[in-house]
Amino acid sequence: MDNPDQYRPLTPEELGGRLSTVPAIAERIGSDPSQWQVREVGDGNLNLVFIVEGPKGAVIVKQALPYVRLVGDSWPLPLYRAFYENNALVRQAQRDPGAVPEVHHFDEAQALIVMEFLSPHRILRRKLIDGERVDGLGSFLGRFCARTAFRGSELSMKSADKKKDVGLFSGNVEIPAITEALVFTDPYYDAEMNHHTEGLDPVVDGLRGDAKLKARVQHLLMKFASNTETMVHGDLHSGSIMSTDRESKVIDPEFVQYGPMGFDLGMLVANFLMAYFSQPAHRSAAELAGYQDWILSVIDEVFATFEAEFRHLWATERTGMLYPAALFEDQGQSSEAACLALLAEIRAEAYGFCGIEMHRRTLSLAHNADFEDIRDTDLKRRLEARNLAMGAELVHTSEALGSPERLLDLARRFNAKDIP
């Protein structure tokens, strides 16, 4: 690569000349860049993403930009986030093999990752908007959340290794700060980059006028900012999952940090609930009920698989300093009650994070295509109002809600409401 110590954003025209000497690319697509086809496909907020195809195959090339792409260079961002994304992908691959794309090459100076090209995978959010189904989706995501949560914690890791890892990822300062502002703070006041659908003002004013709600949100922010239970993906939603009809992979962990065990689970479920509430704008009357029921079944399977896998790991891989067998099984006592209590705590926090994510994706800077693709403004407003109202209910009742079945019943109830 030309002057490898100096960062320069890639362009499709320059990519071949700059990357043709990288063995990871030459081995997988061919060494002659004149035979490569390069397409820039990034539609996210932060990065350049290219598909590079050649005679032997294809790879994805992802390069961090020094600013928020959605806003422009007026909002600078550190390039070091690619370093943390690479480290996150390596750990996720160890903790749940096959769940994330394989990393072929990492160039820290250029903030660049070359990784496995997923095909014929599509972004899950788009599949949900289009009414497509994915076999085993809930089971895959429940296992991913459970394995990464358990194996990234001191339930499994040696305490010294965990603390060293927390120290490594604690350098990823500015990316979590985006979450702390855009997710936990901005939706609840008139922040500069907020925007929402015309006609939602009464609902929004109600949220911002609810002091108990905002106090509960800030309590969960305190947990997010200060709790280092496990390594979290940090931005796990239907746009960071790619799927075929029967296989899925988790992508884009650049918001990685150590945080609460329930955070990824809550963010994920929130995005399925938003897909659920948006469906009347995307499905015919004949298809609507069946597809909404399928989305709820995915949520149910996420929770069921998470808890089953977590309990399995508790029984087979509890080798860290927490809840050691020396205090339970070695004394002839069961640790099952302790496991169930921890799972109940994780689930309650997940419900709270879920409600907050439902708010920020409707009111803060980055909105979901599930709602943004709706052209009928009045319909969009009514569906988003249901989403906001359920989010508030989850924030208020997360500690008392209990089983996932009650969460699904809540979704059905709000789906039938006409909120003025």
Side-chain angles (χ1 to χ4, degrees), residues 227-356:
N227 186 328
T228 60
E229 285 177 343
T230 193
M231 191 190 84
V232 299
H233 179 286
D235 196 26
L236 188 58
H237 54 73
S238 54
S240 55
I241 301 159
M242 295 190 70
S243 301
T244 66
D245 291 343
R246 58 186 66 252
E247 181 189 66
S248 296
K249 300 268 189 178
V250 175
I251 63 172
D252 292 347
E254 63 194 321
F255 278 73
V256 61
Q257 67 174 82
Y258 271 77
M261 285 190 176
F263 185 73
D264 283 345
L265 193 60
M267 298 287 275
L268 175 68
V269 170
N271 281 267
F272 278 118
L273 286 171
M274 286 183 275
Y276 171 79
F277 283 121
S278 73
Q279 287 303 311
H282 305 304
R283 303 276 77 75
S284 69
E287 299 171 321
L288 179 60
Y291 196 69
Q292 284 187 309
D293 285 347
W294 178 77
I295 293 175
L296 294 185
S297 77
V298 172
I299 296 173
D300 188 47
E301 190 65 23
V302 167
F303 277 108
T305 305
F306 179 91
E307 299 200 5
E309 183 68 11
F310 195 95
R311 294 179 71 179
H312 170 72
L313 296 171
W314 180 279
T316 59
E317 297 186 17
R318 188 165 28 101
T319 54
M321 74 171 185
L322 297 176
Y323 302 91
L327 299 186
F328 296 96
E329 288 82 2
D330 293 354
Q331 297 183 40
Q333 299 164 355
S334 173
S335 64
E336 182 179 7
C339 180
L340 293 176
L342 179 57
L343 280 168
E345 182 180 339
I346 292 170
R347 187 170 57 239
E349 287 192 357
Y351 292 155
F353 292 131
C354 177
I356 295 167

Side-chain angles (χ1 to χ4, degrees), residues 377-387 418-419:
T377 302
D378 185 62
L379 176 59
K380 180 184 177 188
R381 176 196 61 78
R382 289 188 284 113
L383 300 181
E384 288 181 327
R386 294 171 181 173
N387 173 71
D418 189 10
I419 298 170

